[in-house]
Amino acid sequence: MVNYKIEGMTCNHCKMTVEKIFSENGKKATADVDYEIVSVNETLTEEELEKLRNRLSEDGYTLGNVK
């Protein structure tokens, strides 16, 4: 598992939204509100990161680098 820093999640609804956005982009992810991370099974490419960052920012989340 690879963990990425994510900011803006405050509740389980946020967790579900983040996981749904990853799923819509073909990635199975598990978000953790308490640790402010999202875990995926593989390292994301720069292209994937950029696409996810743009989409997540539309909902108020900030995807960071590997934690």
Side-chain angles (χ1 to χ4, degrees):
M1 295 296 268
V2 181
N3 297 325
Y4 290 89
K5 178 87 173 142
I6 189 157
E7 296 177 359
M9 293 189 307
T10 58
C11 64
N12 277 335
H13 182 266
C14 295
K15 170 185 165 54
M16 292 185 330
T17 300
V18 167
E19 290 173 352
K20 182 180 176 192
I21 290 170
F22 271 80
S23 178
E24 289 170 350
N25 285 277
K27 300 294 174 188
K28 179 160 174 40
T30 303
D32 188 307
V33 175
D34 295 330
Y35 289 102
E36 296 184 325
I37 59 171
V38 60
S39 302
V40 292
N41 289 333
E42 60 194 82
T43 302
L44 301 172
T45 66
E46 285 301 317
E47 184 178 316
E48 291 168 331
L49 276 171
E50 190 62 29
K51 186 175 182 181
L52 285 163
R53 282 183 178 132
N54 289 335
R55 177 59 187 90
L56 288 161
S57 71
E58 293 174 11
D59 283 28
Y61 307 108
T62 303
L63 181 63
N65 293 322
V66 175
K67 183 172 179 183

